[in-house]
Amino acid sequence: MGKKVLVVGQGAREHALVWKLSQSPEIKKIYAAPGNPGIAQLAECVAVEATDVSSLLEFAKKADIDLTVVGPEAPLMEGIVDRFKEEGLKIFGPTAAAARLEGSKVFAKNLFKKYGIPTAKFEVFDEIEAARSYTRSYTRQGKPVVIKADGLAAGKGVIVAPGWEEASEAIDSIMKERKFGKAGEKVVIEECLTGEELSFFAITDGRNFLSLAGAQDHKRVFDNDEGPNTGGMGAYSNPPIYTQELHQQIVETIIKPVVAAMSQEGHPYQGVLYAGLMITADGPKVLEFNARFGDPEAQVILPMIKGDLLPILEAAAEGGLADCHVDIDRGSWVCVVLASRGYPGAYEKGKYIEGIDELAEDTLIFHAGTMIENGQLLTNGGRVLSVVVRGDTIEEALETVYREVGKIHFDGMHYRTDIGKKALKRGR
Ligand code: AMP
Ligand code: GLY
């Protein structure tokens, strides 16, 4: 008998999840809440917000959902997994206590310290003068320093301060002005690491894990990493820095110990482990963990998984990953995000999107901020579409992706023209 799956979320990441799950021979029907017009081509969209946990629970019971898959972090922090499990429903993702690995930087850093997991040297403060004094111990030596609000702050709670002036401003805005509210009750102050950043993804059932792949994101809105931070303007998988040796190091010194530590602490972690790493001269160190797939990283990681994703997610939710195996494509996948002019600030909506029909058959297009009005596809958000292609090499993938991007048009369409260029410069 075919299974019914509910995917929670509405971005390009969730479109990629729905697309991957739609290939499963075991699935009869996919629902998405709330979904988007791209997702609607593969699933039935249900008008429930991703954070409306009670309504999601009600729907899952009524529709007899076999597995719920959570895309974004907000419902995880609100305890969607706890609520579903209490009612005996199968759901893929960490409990609220386990999701603190993303939701509380203080929790995460203390865990890393206790279990010897490599990370930047740090101290935690809830008192502003002590925070200032520790910060000065870096800036007096001319060293940059990183100030982090404890809780979630819409990606704005981390400030890499080159000197005292910026650091002091950051401390004031988090601790005094309470720019991020309760998220700023505590701060982590840490040494600034140098190296190349890498995102690494694994799926775990609380004891066993499957490594997926490494990827690199492009956070700034403009080419050459200029302009403000965004949710992510593009990504590519298997960057040159991600060698077999580095993979082993990440698994042995970071993923294995984190899975064991969470279990030891009484919060076994089930779901996606997204490690944000700095590859330093002393090896990989953790910048942060996220409790979900990255967006846009999911758009390049999910297509690399050969075979059926459903049994892996089910096994992770049930504690049976030891019997699972995953085959990962060795090619290079690239994602270019098409955004509205002005994003991440104010932008206009409702622009006609043209050219999607002209894309090559094997080009993937994942929707984020789109809507349909009178049968026309229109823009409806900051990040609008993700264009994703595969190449045997990164060069090939980049050439193809920009050729495909060139076929799409909407008024004010903005994208970075240098996705993956760092990899080309570095070579293999
Ligand atoms: P996080 O949310 O902790 O990953 O921080 C967001 C971004 O801030 C990271 O992707 C890094 O670019 C930067 N960052 C965070 N912590 C550090 C650190 N200790 N040293 C250097 N850069 C950092
Ligand atoms: N791409 C960054 C994130 O999903 O957090």
Side-chain angles (χ1 to χ4, degrees):
M1 215 192 52
K3 291 181 179 165
K4 293 195 226 168
V5 173
L6 168 66
V7 174
V8 177
Q10 66 194 113
R13 164 182 52 205
E14 287 75 24
H15 189 177
L17 276 166
V18 167
W19 166 79
K20 184 67 196 159
L21 288 168
S22 71
Q23 297 159 10
S24 170
E26 284 188 56
I27 294 179
K28 171 170 79 179
K29 175 136 192 174
I30 305 179
Y31 295 90
N36 65 39
I39 291 175
Q41 295 170 4
L42 302 167
E44 182 177 328
C45 294
V46 186
V48 178
E49 288 305 312
T51 47
D52 185 354
V53 174
S54 299
S55 302
L56 290 170
L57 185 58
E58 200 180 311
F59 173 78
K61 281 202 258 181
K62 204 176 69 197
D64 227 351
I65 298 294
D66 294 290
L67 176 72
T68 298
V69 181
V70 186
E73 64 274 22
L76 297 172
M77 308 297 160
E78 283 180 29
I80 187 171
V81 172
D82 310 65
R83 294 276 301 279
F84 273 55
K85 286 194 165 162
E86 275 161 25
E87 302 271 345
L89 295 180
K90 209 186 298 171
I91 182 164
F92 175 78
T95 59
R100 281 183 300 163
L101 200 53
E102 169 167 0
S104 168
K105 301 222 184 267
V106 171
F107 172 83
K109 293 291 291 192
N110 284 333
L111 187 91
F112 304 155
K113 191 190 253 177
K114 182 168 170 189
Y115 291 89
I117 293 155
T119 190
K121 200 171 133 237
F122 73 100
E123 292 289 340
V124 175
F125 299 93
D126 57 9
E127 202 271 311
I128 195 161
E129 275 320 309
R132 287 168 160 278
S133 149
Y134 180 72
T135 301
R136 265 193 221 98
S137 71
Y138 285 93
T139 57
R140 250 201 319 265
Q141 299 175 60
K143 289 186 183 162
V145 62
V146 184
I147 320 286
K148 300 183 173 184
D150 176 32
L152 289 182
K156 299 200 168 68
V158 174
I159 296 104
V160 180
W164 171 247
E165 205 177 311
E166 298 85 351
S168 160
E169 221 172 85
I171 294 173
D172 280 353
S173 76
I174 297 172
M175 299 189 87
K176 211 152 107 191
E177 294 149 28
R178 287 294 170 93
K179 194 167 161 197
F180 309 116
K182 270 173 79 75
E185 274 173 7
K186 289 184 183 159
V187 291
V188 172
I189 298 188
E190 65 181 38
E191 73 172 317
C192 186
L193 299 174
T194 52
E196 200 169 316
E197 284 187 51
L198 176 75
S199 306
F200 181 83
F201 295 86
I203 290 181
T204 163
D205 65 3
R207 269 159 44 112
N208 313 287
F209 62 89
L210 291 176
S211 298
L212 300 179
Q216 279 176 326
D217 188 8
H218 297 67
K219 288 201 170 87
R220 303 296 185 116
V221 72
F222 299 126
D223 282 9
N224 302 316
D225 293 330
E226 284 170 16
N229 268 326
T230 68
M233 293 299 293
Y236 59 104
S237 62
N238 278 343
I241 193 171
Y242 175 63
T243 58
Q244 192 53 35
E245 188 192 346
L246 180 62
H247 172 93
Q248 279 310 329
Q249 243 181 328
I250 294 169
V251 166
E252 293 301 325
T253 67
I254 294 167
I255 304 299
K256 251 189 212 169
V258 162
V259 172
M262 290 299 288
S263 173
Q264 182 83 23
E265 293 292 306
H267 311 298
Y269 186 101
Q270 297 186 323
V272 176
L273 273 179
Y274 160 177
L277 308 170
M278 186 73 89
I279 312 307
T280 73
D282 298 331
K285 295 191 180 182
V286 183
L287 295 175
E288 63 164 350
F289 265 99
N290 293 312
R292 51 177 171 83
F293 277 113
D295 185 345
E297 290 96 325
Q299 291 91 299
V300 295
I301 297 285
L302 291 166
M304 296 180 80
I305 299 173
K306 295 184 180 174
D308 197 350
L309 179 63
L310 181 73
I312 296 175
L313 302 187
E314 283 184 321
E318 289 176 319
L321 263 192
D323 300 327
C324 281
H325 171 77
V326 65
D327 253 343
I328 300 290
D329 178 21
R330 291 183 175 272
S332 286
W333 289 81
V334 179
C335 167
V336 174
V337 171
L338 308 182
S340 298
R341 180 174 43 222
Y343 171 77
Y347 51 81
E348 291 179 14
K349 295 180 183 177
K351 309 291 183 192
Y352 288 104
I353 301 172
E354 288 164 324
I356 289 189
D357 299 342
E358 286 152 45
L359 297 177
E361 206 180 322
D362 47 5
T363 295
L364 300 172
I365 184 108
F366 296 124
H367 291 223
T370 64
M371 61 177 167
I372 290 181
E373 233 177 58
N374 301 325
Q376 291 276 359
L377 187 66
L378 306 176
T379 67
N380 190 36
R383 291 193 290 177
V384 177
L385 294 165
S386 281
V387 183
V388 180
V389 308
R390 181 194 186 278
D392 285 335
T393 62
I394 183 122
E395 287 86 346
E396 192 188 307
L398 287 173
E399 217 183 284
T400 314
V401 82
Y402 281 111
R403 197 170 58 229
E404 293 295 279
V405 164
K407 296 176 182 172
I408 300 177
H409 175 78
F410 54 84
D411 184 29
M413 178 170 114
H414 165 71
Y415 60 91
R416 277 183 63 160
T417 65
D418 65 345
I419 301 302
K421 293 276 159 65
K422 212 191 307 176
L424 286 188
K425 237 185 263 162
R426 197 186 162 99
R428 278 221 189 232

